[in-house]
Amino acid sequence: MRPTMLWSGILSFASLLSNSTNPSSQVNATARSPSKKSLFDCDCFTVSGPDPGYYQHYKLWDFRSVHLKKPIEPELPNPDYDDDDDDDEWEDDDEDDGQDEASQPVLGPNAMWFFETTFDKDWMSQQWARSRTPNSPVDMVNSKRNVFFTRNYEVEDPHATYLALRTTRHENYTSTAEIETRIRNVYRCSLRVRLRILPAGMAVATPSSVVKEWPPREPQQHAIPALNFLPTGPKTNATSLTDGKPHSGACVGIFTYHSRNCESDIEILTSDPSHRVRYANQPDYDPVTDEMIPGASTIADLPVPWTDWYTHRLDWLSDISQWWVDDKIQETKRYQVPNLQSRLVINLWSDGGVWTGDMKLGDSIFLGIEYIELAYNRSSDGSNEVNIPPSQRHGGHQRPNVNAPAADIADMFEESWEPDTDRVTKAMKKNKKKKGQRKCKKGRKGDKCRKRKNKPKKPHKDPSQSPHEPSCQRACYIDGENFRDEVLG
């Protein structure tokens, strides 16, 4: 036998052996590589429904097989978290959106923090506090340590994971969870979130308790029930209590957000029956008349419970908003469809108010997310011209306490109704006008500028006079079976 052939055989056998002994890398590769293969062939992305969308961008954040490696002790960020990065663009999904293999920190064999992964480059886990008011009597504290990856013990795959958001009722406040997109200029989209609100008593592996919490918590006064942690018994103990409901007193929100008057929502109250979901375009409530605005919101009873894994979808189109569950339309609205660039937010919160109710001391509620899928367009205006109010000003859909003084209700009106969209639109037009008034430089340096100003502008076509034409040659239908098989697996 030739030496070259012998060495070739040895190297082939060594390569086969290394792949077979690293199943986690195989799982990750099968989850990621089809996404890359599919998206290279797409100039735009279309969706099912009355409007195909023709979205220019597509992203998939898949949390179902996140690597959980050996434990380390990371340096946690300063509690006074005020990350105001507003990246106007994400890189499209032709690169891995998962984790950096070389720098991925992990807090234990069964769980790891979200903010220490590269997913945090697209979605920021929030850390800020909101003080109590007469209508929200419990302080609410968003903590990064309420957003983490955990193993999925309900499936046989030892590498299966999902993203968990947690809220816990302490003695003087509720610790809550929120993630929001770093880009703030999403302008129309189709957002899908495969989620499940975990039943009370279901075991969840949580990150190491060695790391200090923010804000500080006295373990004896604010103990978290032991059932929230992975039991030491057989794995079946972790999946035997999956038919119950979560504790009452919290709200799951999935929404687009520009301001309180420019927002589209999916909301789930854990005090509701497990088939009930609330859809709305804001504003849906008038605190002056204490009445719901007709046509703004809908209480829908779904054919499936939100305690099971299902995909909830929100379509923000040019003139309608639509809500879906597993490819079936649940509601359509033409009232107050958002008309300004926005960010996307997912949260789990409770403030003790009339809307959410209050949680019992020591209770925890968990939201599980397997993936987030997004087809979207971006506003050409960018997010630097008009300041979008941060989600910290989104106080939830509060209802006034019947015992609150009239002055407090008036204050709530001032707080809840942010500067309306007309004012923001005027500001955008004003900024554009200023740009058009810039003077050209003298001499040759200003030749290009003067040519642009003197160039005749083409008249705008009325979109109602002609059918909508796709702006791309190769449209990928993301709700097609082939696309889903390749991207979602």
Side-chain angles (χ1 to χ4, degrees), residues 248-251 269-271 349-359 397:
S248 62
C251 176
L269 300 178
T270 60
S271 57
W349 61 281
S350 175
D351 62 5
V354 176
W355 178 252
T356 64
D358 198 2
M359 298 169 60
H397 301 136

Side-chain angles (χ1 to χ4, degrees), residues 382-398:
S383 62
N384 293 326
E385 295 185 4
V386 178
N387 180 39
I388 300 176
S391 62
Q392 184 172 355
R393 294 177 61 183
H394 179 276
H397 301 136
Q398 302 172 3

Side-chain angles (χ1 to χ4, degrees), residues 264-433:
S264 191
D265 303 316
I266 301 173
E267 290 185 301
I268 302 172
L269 300 178
T270 60
S271 57
D272 277 345
S274 59
H275 288 73
R276 185 159 296 169
V277 176
R278 297 164 186 261
Y279 302 129
N281 284 340
Q282 298 301 324
D284 66 347
Y285 171 74
D286 187 343
V288 175
T289 62
D290 191 20
E291 293 180 352
M292 302 298 294
I293 297 175
S297 61
T298 296
I299 300 176
D301 287 330
L302 306 180
V304 296
W306 35 255
T307 50
D308 289 343
W309 291 108
Y310 287 100
T311 301
H312 295 253
R313 169 178 163 186
L314 168 59
D315 281 1
W316 170 17
L317 304 170
S318 59
D319 57 351
I320 61 172
S321 298
Q322 284 195 321
W323 292 266
W324 305 61
V325 172
D326 273 16
D327 301 326
K328 295 181 180 179
I329 296 179
Q330 305 298 321
E331 184 58 50
T332 299
K333 291 189 180 299
R334 295 186 180 274
Y335 163 84
Q336 200 72 9
V337 177
N339 61 350
L340 293 170
Q341 59 189 11
S342 302
R343 73 187 68 186
L344 308 178
V345 183
I346 302 174
N347 61 13
L348 175 62
W349 61 281
S350 175
D351 62 5
V354 176
W355 178 252
T356 64
D358 198 2
M359 298 169 60
K360 292 182 180 179
L361 181 63
D363 279 354
S364 290
I365 297 173
F366 293 85
L367 168 66
I369 300 176
E370 286 194 330
Y371 63 78
I372 302 171
E373 186 181 21
L374 178 67
Y376 66 104
N377 289 325
R378 290 194 297 257
S379 168
S380 59
D381 299 318
S383 62
N384 293 326
E385 295 185 4
V386 178
N387 180 39
I388 300 176
S391 62
Q392 184 172 355
R393 294 177 61 183
H394 179 276
H397 301 136
Q398 302 172 3
R399 303 291 182 263
N401 188 328
V402 293
N403 298 320
D408 290 334
I409 295 178
D411 289 340
M412 178 184 175
F413 177 81
E414 294 296 330
E415 292 174 2
S416 299
W417 291 51
E418 293 174 354
D420 57 24
T421 55
D422 291 337
R423 288 177 58 187
V424 179
T425 304
K426 288 179 182 178
M428 294 175 70
K429 289 181 179 178
K430 186 177 180 180
N431 287 335
K432 288 182 178 180
K433 188 176 180 181

Side-chain angles (χ1 to χ4, degrees), residues 1-12:
M1 181 182 295
R2 295 180 180 178
T4 54
M5 295 178 62
L6 177 62
W7 278 109
S8 176
I10 293 174
L11 291 174
S12 299

